[in-house]
């Protein structure tokens, strides 16, 4: 097994639940690629470039406030706007995908993808159980609460709060 893993997702936007998975996966692998993937089943709220930027600033913010990203861990943030996930894995020599799982519904959604990725290219998927603290947090709920004027500071890093606020005022991220 290589010690390179890929954590793919829409991250639209990144939540503290995602950040927790990044921190935990970064302890398990020598190199972790957080990959912003275009999901054709979803209508993106932030562009993939904006999502990458938000993840990068949130990782810096997490480091700055002593939160759990190991400073020795190599975490890179990239995008995949087209092509198969397993092709990206092959390109960066990763043999493992990491996914966070909050519920049975998540597992039902993730299992077919895990099986197809293994079938296509022998890429295994490692499921990390979401911390119960983040068990109900999703990007779509965060977007909804924020768009209706609610506070999302408990659920997402400051950079994301700022971007959501700017967006609801009609400004740029
Ligand atoms: O956060 P999401 O939207 O649930 O993530 C799903 C995602 C983007 C990881 C999934 O749709 C995906 O892997 N897309 C890449 C295209 C691909 O390789 N598809 C075949 C295997 S799932």
């Amino acid at each position: 097994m290589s010690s390179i893993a890929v954590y793919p997702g829409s991250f639209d936007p990144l939540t503290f639940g995602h950040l927790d998975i990044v921190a935990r996966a970064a302890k398990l692998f020598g190199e972790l690629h957080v990959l912003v993937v275009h999901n054709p089943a979803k209508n993106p709220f932030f562009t993939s470039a904006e999502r990458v930027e938000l993840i990068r600033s949130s990782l810096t913010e997490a480091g700055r406030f002593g939160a759990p990203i190991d400073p020795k861990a190599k975490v890179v943030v990239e995008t995949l706007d087209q092509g198969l996930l397993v092709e990206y894995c092959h390109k960066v020599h990763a043999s493992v995908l990491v996914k966070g799982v909050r519920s049975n519904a998540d597992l039902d959604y993730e299992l077919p993808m895990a099986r197809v990725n293994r079938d296509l290219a022998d890429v295994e998927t490692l499921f990390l159980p979401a911390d119960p603290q983040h068990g109900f947090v999703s990007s779509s709920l965060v977007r909804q609460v924020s768009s209706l004027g609610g506070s999302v500071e408990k659920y997402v890093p400051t950079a994301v709060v700022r971007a959501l606020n700017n967006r609801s005022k009609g400004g740029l991220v």
Side-chain angles (χ1 to χ4, degrees):
M1 189 177 89
S2 79
S3 83
I4 304 171
V6 175
Y7 176 30
S10 295
F11 304 109
D12 193 25
L14 180 89
T15 67
F16 281 137
H18 295 132
L19 209 48
D20 180 53
I21 298 294
V22 173
R24 287 159 59 196
K27 284 191 206 153
L28 300 175
F29 296 95
E31 186 174 313
L32 180 70
H33 292 238
V34 182
L35 190 66
V36 174
V37 183
H38 172 67
N39 183 344
K42 293 180 179 173
N43 218 350
F45 185 75
F46 290 111
T47 65
S48 44
E50 287 168 339
R51 283 177 267 160
V52 165
E53 206 37 56
L54 288 174
I55 296 170
R56 289 195 179 133
S57 357
S58 302
L59 289 173
T60 310
E61 184 185 317
R64 200 174 335 127
F65 294 108
I69 313 286
D70 180 345
K72 295 190 294 297
K74 185 171 179 204
V75 179
V76 294
V77 189
E78 297 286 352
T79 53
L80 179 70
D81 285 328
Q82 56 185 1
L84 287 170
L85 185 52
V86 291
E87 284 168 1
Y88 179 88
C89 291
H90 183 69
K91 192 178 78 178
V92 300
H93 308 290
S95 56
V96 179
L97 291 164
V98 171
K99 294 286 186 96
V101 177
R102 290 161 300 185
S103 62
N104 287 348
D106 275 357
L107 207 52
D108 284 344
Y109 169 69
E110 295 292 348
L111 269 179
M113 294 196 273
R115 288 182 174 131
V116 84
N117 287 323
R118 181 163 170 258
D119 194 52
L120 285 171
D122 211 17
V123 172
E124 292 285 5
T125 300
L126 176 70
F127 292 117
L128 295 181
D131 188 299
Q133 194 189 345
H134 308 297
F136 63 94
V137 179
S138 68
S139 300
S140 58
L141 268 179
V142 163
R143 291 195 307 267
Q144 190 181 110
V145 170
S146 171
S147 71
L148 296 172
S151 164
V152 292
E153 282 165 23
K154 277 190 290 187
Y155 311 132
V156 293
T158 313
V160 176
V161 174
R162 210 178 309 122
L164 286 164
N165 288 344
N166 280 347
R167 181 58 69 83
S168 60
K169 285 185 210 134
L172 295 171
V173 175

